[in-house]
Amino acid sequence: GQQVMQIPQYQHVQEGEDFTTYCNSSTTLSNIQWYKQRPGGHPVFLIQLVKSGEVKKQKRLTFQFGEAKKNSSLHITATQTTDVGTYFCAGDNQGGKLIFGQGTELSVKP
Amino acid sequence: NAGVTQTPKFRILKIGQSMTLQCAQDMNHNYMYWYRQDPGMGLKLIYYSVGAGITDKGEVPNGYNVSRSTTEYFPLRLELAAPSQTSVYFCASSATLGGPSGYTFGSGTRLTVV
């Protein structure tokens, strides 16, 4: 079945450093979504990417969808303590059901 | 708007007991989902529904059952609870299948089976 792999599993950074998490799918995706889950909380939708090679920005967050629509990345510039949490990618292979990656847990040291 | 409401927030079950996890949404979403989250494993889809009266299995359906008699409610039933079902359960809904607004998740139910 479809698998979505996400790396790294954990990332510890100093406040102000950049952070990137990578997502790879075993199959071509119709779209990919990104979610953030704060410690003890629930996943919250951040963004959806649909087009091959698409790049979207939300303030310090930059999301990319690969040309082959099988990989994606999330980059955070100059991390802040408010960025702490687990970031999940979730792929949709046209069935409409999201398959989630394992998540990258980000910790930020002030 | 309340969004997606899950009850209870916490529950401890003994092995072999049964329970129903409740999920309600007030956004008139047709699509609803149940996921379980285990540490370091992401979210695994248990069951989903594309509308009232229609449900289907996800990746990990064994040991669970669902029903969808109305648009608003999508309860998850655990029969004969086992320690492997210790997890955090999230209910979610969406307006469209794979649409641009993503899923709206409830706050979760933390279940421990002892």
Side-chain angles (χ1 to χ4, degrees):
Chain A
Q2 179 192 358
Q3 290 187 336
V4 176
M5 306 299 292
Q6 196 173 348
I7 57 169
Q9 188 172 359
Y10 304 98
Q11 186 77 58
H12 309 284
V13 300
Q14 193 79 30
E15 189 173 22
E17 292 181 339
D18 292 356
F19 159 77
T20 304
T21 173
Y22 301 90
C23 185
N24 287 286
S25 170
S26 58
T27 60
T28 301
L29 301 170
S30 62
N31 70 79
I32 195 158
Q33 301 183 10
W34 285 90
Y35 291 78
K36 177 183 179 180
Q37 184 178 23
R38 294 184 184 276
H42 59 276
V44 174
F45 174 72
L46 294 176
I47 207 162
Q48 181 191 54
L49 304 171
V50 178
K51 300 177 183 177
S52 170
E54 188 170 16
V55 178
K56 287 188 176 181
K57 293 189 176 183
Q58 289 180 348
K59 297 183 180 178
R60 294 178 294 103
L61 278 62
T62 301
F63 305 84
Q64 295 189 0
F65 201 9
E67 293 292 338
K69 299 184 73 173
K70 295 180 72 174
N71 59 77
S72 182
S73 65
L74 158 59
H75 180 81
I76 301 179
T77 303
T79 55
Q80 300 175 358
T81 54
T82 53
D83 295 325
V84 164
T86 300
Y87 292 85
F88 291 98
C89 63
D92 176 358
N93 66 348
Q94 299 183 337
K97 304 178 299 295
L98 292 180
I99 304 299
F100 281 78
Q102 303 96 314
T104 296
E105 184 179 338
L106 172 65
S107 63
V108 180
K109 187 176 182 180
Chain B
N1 281 344
V4 178
T5 303
Q6 289 185 242
T7 57
K9 292 190 183 302
F10 304 93
R11 183 70 186 270
I12 298 175
L13 276 182
K14 293 184 178 179
I15 294 172
Q17 288 185 323
S18 300
M19 77 165 292
T20 299
L21 283 67
Q22 301 293 344
C23 176
Q25 54 96 3
D26 63 358
M27 298 171 286
N28 203 31
H29 285 172
N30 282 325
Y31 304 94
M32 297 190 73
Y33 316 85
W34 274 105
Y35 283 87
R36 60 176 287 172
Q37 183 176 33
D38 301 309
M41 298 297 291
L43 292 95
K44 298 293 185 183
L45 181 64
I46 305 171
Y47 270 96
Y48 67 101
S49 170
V50 300
I54 306 170
T55 63
D56 207 348
K57 296 177 181 178
E59 302 169 85
V60 290
N62 292 342
Y64 308 94
N65 276 300
V66 293
S67 60
R68 184 99 181 270
S69 57
T70 67
T71 300
E72 295 80 10
Y73 300 102
F74 190 39
L76 177 71
R77 178 81 178 163
L78 276 72
E79 304 282 1
L80 299 175
S84 60
Q85 293 178 306
T86 294
S87 189
V88 181
Y89 291 84
F90 288 103
C91 179
S93 72
S94 65
T96 58
L97 210 56
S101 301
Y103 288 9
T104 300
F105 281 84
S107 57
T109 295
R110 295 180 181 276
L111 175 67
T112 302
V113 181
V114 296

